[in-house]
CSV table of all heavy atoms in Angstrom, one decimal:
chain,number,residue,atom,x,y,z
A,419,ASP,N,-5.1,11.1,13.7
A,419,ASP,CA,-5.5,12.5,13.5
A,419,ASP,C,-4.9,13.0,12.3
A,419,ASP,O,-3.7,13.4,12.1
A,419,ASP,CB,-4.9,13.4,14.7
A,419,ASP,CG,-5.2,14.8,14.5
A,419,ASP,OD1,-6.3,15.0,13.9
A,419,ASP,OD2,-4.7,15.6,15.2
A,420,ALA,N,-5.7,12.8,11.2
A,420,ALA,CA,-5.3,13.2,9.8
A,420,ALA,C,-6.4,13.9,9.1
A,420,ALA,O,-7.6,13.7,9.4
A,420,ALA,CB,-4.8,12.0,9.0
A,421,ASP,N,-6.0,14.9,8.2
A,421,ASP,CA,-7.1,15.6,7.5
A,421,ASP,C,-7.8,14.8,6.4
A,421,ASP,O,-8.9,14.8,6.2
A,421,ASP,CB,-6.4,16.8,6.8
A,421,ASP,CG,-5.8,17.8,7.7
A,421,ASP,OD1,-6.3,18.0,8.8
A,421,ASP,OD2,-4.7,18.3,7.4
A,422,VAL,N,-7.0,13.9,5.8
A,422,VAL,CA,-7.5,13.0,4.7
A,422,VAL,C,-6.9,11.7,4.8
A,422,VAL,O,-5.7,11.5,5.2
A,422,VAL,CB,-7.2,13.6,3.2
A,422,VAL,CG1,-7.7,12.5,2.2
A,422,VAL,CG2,-7.9,15.0,3.1
A,423,THR,N,-7.7,10.6,4.7
A,423,THR,CA,-7.3,9.3,4.6
A,423,THR,C,-7.4,8.6,3.2
A,423,THR,O,-8.5,8.6,2.7
A,423,THR,CB,-7.9,8.3,5.6
A,423,THR,OG1,-7.8,8.8,6.9
A,423,THR,CG2,-7.5,7.0,5.7
A,424,VAL,N,-6.2,8.1,2.7
A,424,VAL,CA,-6.3,7.5,1.4
A,424,VAL,C,-6.1,6.0,1.6
A,424,VAL,O,-4.9,5.7,2.2
A,424,VAL,CB,-5.5,8.0,0.4
A,424,VAL,CG1,-5.5,7.3,-1.0
A,424,VAL,CG2,-5.7,9.5,0.2
A,425,VAL,N,-7.0,5.1,1.3
A,425,VAL,CA,-6.8,3.7,1.5
A,425,VAL,C,-6.6,2.9,0.1
A,425,VAL,O,-7.6,3.1,-0.7
A,425,VAL,CB,-7.9,3.1,2.2
A,425,VAL,CG1,-7.8,1.5,2.5
A,425,VAL,CG2,-8.2,3.8,3.5
A,426,GLY,N,-5.5,2.1,0.0
A,426,GLY,CA,-5.3,1.4,-1.2
A,426,GLY,C,-5.5,0.0,-0.9
A,426,GLY,O,-4.6,-0.6,-0.2
A,427,LEU,N,-6.6,-0.7,-1.3
A,427,LEU,CA,-6.7,-2.1,-1.1
A,427,LEU,C,-6.3,-2.9,-2.3
A,427,LEU,O,-7.1,-3.1,-3.2
A,427,LEU,CB,-8.2,-2.5,-0.8
A,427,LEU,CG,-8.7,-1.7,0.5
A,427,LEU,CD1,-10.2,-1.9,0.7
A,427,LEU,CD2,-7.9,-2.0,1.7
A,428,ILE,N,-5.1,-3.3,-2.4
A,428,ILE,CA,-4.5,-3.9,-3.6
A,428,ILE,C,-4.3,-5.3,-3.5
A,428,ILE,O,-3.4,-5.8,-2.6
A,428,ILE,CB,-3.1,-3.1,-3.8
A,428,ILE,CG1,-3.4,-1.6,-3.7
A,428,ILE,CG2,-2.5,-3.5,-5.1
A,428,ILE,CD1,-4.3,-1.0,-4.8
A,429,GLY,N,-4.9,-6.1,-4.3
A,429,GLY,CA,-4.6,-7.5,-4.5
A,429,GLY,C,-5.1,-8.4,-3.4
A,429,GLY,O,-4.8,-9.5,-3.3
A,430,GLU,N,-6.0,-7.9,-2.5
A,430,GLU,CA,-6.6,-8.6,-1.4
A,430,GLU,C,-7.8,-9.3,-1.9
A,430,GLU,O,-8.3,-9.0,-2.9
A,430,GLU,CB,-6.7,-7.8,-0.1
A,430,GLU,CG,-5.4,-7.2,0.5
A,430,GLU,CD,-4.4,-8.2,0.9
A,430,GLU,OE1,-4.8,-9.2,1.4
A,430,GLU,OE2,-3.2,-8.1,0.7
A,431,ARG,N,-8.4,-10.1,-0.9
A,431,ARG,CA,-9.7,-10.7,-1.2
A,431,ARG,C,-10.8,-9.6,-1.5
A,431,ARG,O,-10.9,-8.7,-0.7
A,431,ARG,CB,-10.1,-11.7,0.0
A,431,ARG,CG,-9.1,-12.8,0.1
A,431,ARG,CD,-9.6,-13.7,1.3
A,431,ARG,NE,-9.3,-13.0,2.6
A,431,ARG,CZ,-8.2,-13.2,3.2
A,431,ARG,NH1,-7.2,-13.9,2.6
A,431,ARG,NH2,-7.8,-12.6,4.3
A,432,GLY,N,-11.5,-9.9,-2.5
A,432,GLY,CA,-12.7,-8.9,-2.7
A,432,GLY,C,-13.7,-8.7,-1.7
A,432,GLY,O,-14.2,-7.6,-1.5
Side-chain angles (χ1 to χ4, degrees):
D419 185 17
D421 299 320
V422 175
T423 301
V424 180
V425 181
L427 301 175
I428 310 301
E430 298 298 322
R431 292 178 287 270

